[in-house]
Amino acid sequence: MTAITNHLPTSELQALDAAHHMHPFTANAELAEKGVRVITRAKGVFLTDSDGYEILDAMAGLWCVNIGYGRGELAEVAARQMRELPYYNTFFQTTHVPAIALANKLSELAPGDLNHVFFAGSGSEANDTNIRLVRHYWATKGKPEKKVIISRKNSYHGSSVGSGSLGGMTAMHSQGGLPIPDIHHIDQPNWWAEGGDMPPEDFGLARAQELEKAILEMGEDRVAAFIAEPVQGAGGVIVPPDSYWPEIQRICDKYEILLIADEVICGFGRTGNWFGSQTLNIRPDVMTIAKGLSSGYAPIAASIVSDEVAAVIGSGEFNHGYTYSGHPVSAAVALENLRILEEEDVIGHVQNVAGPHLKQHWEALVDHPLVGEAKIVGMMGSIALTPDKDSRAAFSSEAGTVGLICRENCFANNLIMRHVGDRMVISPPLVITPAEIEELVHRARKALDETHAQLLAKGLM
Ligand SMILES: *Cc1c(COP(=O)(O)O)cnc(C)c1O
């Protein structure tokens, strides 16, 4: 077999990919027909593909490359760690310096008394840990029946059997026998799509109170925890009304329900603070972190838990763990990423430079004939596409048809912007400059113009 390298023509790479590579969340036969895009390099906020196109990555990979691409420091640290100690486990009453240092650093950064770190390899794994951890916590406290976890429709918590069950994606539940028992889903605070005639703040309150209703229906002694993303990411960057989170916090406190904040996207500067819980002013007992923890340079994730939860779990053996829990190379890379975030004041850049600039240009998109609302928190944003802004109407085509057309137009304009149904979402690297933000929005507007013209031509609006 000839070596497969960057030097092969794109068509050959595409054929080889189609022959043997099964893509996640993809209709593979359809993709094989169309031809996959091959990404070969990246620097800063730009990807390069095998045809030499430079693409502005407004998604930071999958919401994760917070410090941008091409930071050689992380490569150096990984190489050094691989030479010194490429792997050792943390099961056998053993540890290593990268895991010690990262757990200490995270406890310093995490708010309140979130001081104890259980490592995993991915966000899905960390949320699987959380399912077992909160149930075991209550069982240890003599309440084994307190095991229902309440989550939300259209939330995303990962793709394993456990985390996919926590998530509220119907398309995922319809395959492979999800959800597992004792997971209960309430409605999401998505005012644009589901708020009807209610004012947003009333709607936010009503949606939060669904949590109280669910607890009262099932009984407080049955409910272990509530899990939510501070701002829903994969569900379409759904920014809840201001009334939502204070009410959720009140309910969790009142009924002694553990609050799990899934910070996999919101963590590490994405919302303008270290954690989304700080931006949304919530006090979780457990936090899920991944993605921005290493800026995606190496796979690593964790659950960070409070002093009290750690004390209860630590009173006996917790029969749980992963081969790669606290992997030394990933932990060393994460530490270097955190050093860069801190020393280069990347979060200050989000607060004072990139965040305000992106907000100004992003929100200006509402004057486009296709855009109903433009939402932004820190460096995660969304726009709702609609044929009628006043009624917040959906398109008559199947949901996602227009979003997909818009995404294809973005791609054609060398911009990666994702669609979730007929919402377009962005989550660029946090280090993006004002000039790059203007280029991002310029390309987005061009793609919107083209989408608008195509919809009119096809009679879709
Ligand atoms: C991506 C994501 C996950 C899952 O993380 P993986 O590393 O893909 O397993 C969990 N929760 C949220 C909020 C996410 O965005």
Side-chain angles (χ1 to χ4, degrees):
M1 187 169 147
T2 54
I4 298 174
T5 71
N6 270 355
H7 303 295
L8 290 183
T10 299
S11 59
E12 261 180 69
L13 291 169
Q14 288 172 325
L16 289 162
D17 188 78
H20 296 291
H21 181 191
M22 298 171 77
H23 290 252
F25 287 99
T26 295
N28 279 283
E30 197 183 307
L31 178 63
E33 185 82 8
K34 180 178 170 208
V36 72
R37 200 149 180 173
V38 183
I39 307 300
T40 50
R41 302 189 292 282
K43 182 93 189 150
V45 302
F46 288 97
L47 308 167
T48 304
D49 76 4
S50 54
D51 293 328
Y53 287 107
E54 289 220 325
I55 311 159
L56 201 165
D57 183 9
M59 284 306 299
L62 270 178
W63 322 81
C64 54
V65 188
N66 289 11
I67 59 166
Y69 297 94
R71 294 298 301 249
E73 301 94 319
L74 275 68
E76 298 303 327
V77 160
R80 201 185 315 139
Q81 185 59 46
M82 276 197 198
R83 289 197 187 94
E84 194 169 299
L85 179 71
Y87 177 74
Y88 199 67
N89 75 70
T90 50
F91 290 29
F92 298 162
Q93 305 192 353
T94 47
T95 189
H96 45 68
V97 173
I100 299 170
L102 184 57
N104 276 267
K105 185 70 200 169
L106 288 170
S107 85
E108 182 190 310
L109 292 174
D113 66 348
L114 296 171
N115 289 323
H116 307 270
V117 182
F118 195 106
F119 288 112
S122 69
S124 302
E125 286 179 11
N127 276 326
D128 280 10
T129 296
N130 292 338
I131 294 172
R132 301 193 60 206
L133 185 135
V134 299
R135 289 177 174 170
H136 180 56
Y137 166 88
W138 288 114
T140 304
K141 288 178 76 132
K143 297 181 178 176
E145 292 309 311
K146 207 166 154 68
K147 61 185 176 194
V148 174
I149 302 174
I150 300 178
S151 178
R152 306 183 297 181
K153 295 173 189 167
N154 196 39
S155 63
Y156 189 78
H157 298 298
S159 191
S160 59
V161 173
S163 63
S165 296
L166 283 180
M169 299 287 175
T170 47
M172 292 175 69
H173 289 179
S174 69
Q175 297 174 343
L178 304 189
I180 58 170
D182 292 322
I183 310 282
H184 180 84
H185 296 90
I186 59 174
D187 288 316
Q188 58 171 335
N190 183 347
W191 177 79
W192 174 266
E194 301 174 3
D197 294 334
M198 280 176 111
E201 296 310 320
D202 294 358
F203 174 74
L205 213 52
R207 284 288 156 103
Q209 284 162 357
E210 282 195 21
L211 175 61
E212 188 159 36
K213 245 181 264 152
I215 293 168
L216 292 173
E217 268 165 34
M218 283 181 274
E220 180 181 340
D221 49 350
R222 289 263 295 122
V223 181
F226 173 68
I227 182 167
E229 304 150 86
V231 177
Q232 284 157 268
V237 184
I238 309 300
V239 182
D242 290 342
S243 55
Y244 182 76
W245 271 113
E247 184 67 359
I248 291 283
Q249 182 73 58
R250 178 191 72 76
I251 295 164
C252 289
D253 291 347
K254 178 169 178 189
Y255 298 101
E256 272 203 86
I257 306 299
L258 294 175
L259 174 56
I260 309 170
D262 186 337
E263 295 266 6
V264 171
I265 288 174
C266 292
F268 305 101
R270 177 59 57 196
T271 68
N273 288 290
W274 275 100
F275 297 99
S277 295
Q278 294 159 328
T279 304
L280 280 293
N281 199 17
I282 53 183
R283 296 185 315 278
D285 303 286
V286 177
M287 265 178 14
T288 321
I289 57 170
K291 295 191 172 126
L293 168 58
S294 66
S295 283
Y297 280 60
I300 186 164
S303 307
I304 313 184
V305 309
S306 70
D307 290 336
E308 202 260 339
V309 170
V312 172
I313 296 293
S315 66
E317 181 169 344
F318 181 33
N319 302 314
H320 177 71
Y322 305 107
T323 301
Y324 299 138
S325 286
H327 192 286
V329 177
S330 295
V333 168
L335 277 163
E336 184 65 5
N337 174 58
L338 298 179
R339 184 192 66 73
I340 287 174
L341 284 174
E342 238 177 354
E343 286 183 13
E344 297 182 7
D345 192 22
V346 173
I347 291 165
H349 174 73
V350 170
Q351 283 176 358
N352 304 315
V353 181
H357 204 72
L358 181 60
K359 183 176 164 70
Q360 181 200 336
H361 288 270
W362 189 252
E363 288 181 345
L365 287 173
V366 286
D367 71 9
H368 192 276
L370 265 187
V371 177
E373 70 167 3
K375 297 299 241 183
I376 187 123
V377 177
M379 300 298 283
M380 59 197 293
S382 59
I383 47 180
L385 306 184
T386 177
D388 180 17
K389 299 178 189 224
D390 293 334
S391 66
R392 313 203 305 274
F395 291 96
S396 55
S397 50
E398 194 191 332
T401 308
V402 172
L404 182 61
I405 293 171
C406 186
R407 191 191 74 179
E408 296 286 301
N409 287 326
C410 291
F411 245 111
N413 282 291
N414 291 317
L415 171 68
I416 294 197
M417 178 156 76
R418 184 173 173 189
H419 81 106
V420 178
D422 294 326
R423 274 186 101 83
M424 306 305 298
V425 302
I426 56 162
S427 166
L430 306 184
V431 295
I432 192 170
T433 64
E436 289 164 343
I437 287 170
E438 285 164 35
E439 185 59 28
L440 186 169
V441 178
H442 171 73
R443 291 183 191 183
R445 195 177 277 279
K446 190 151 173 283
L448 285 166
D449 286 344
E450 291 168 5
T451 304
H452 189 218
Q454 288 158 3
L455 294 184
L456 291 174
K458 287 182 184 165
L460 285 171
M461 90 177 264

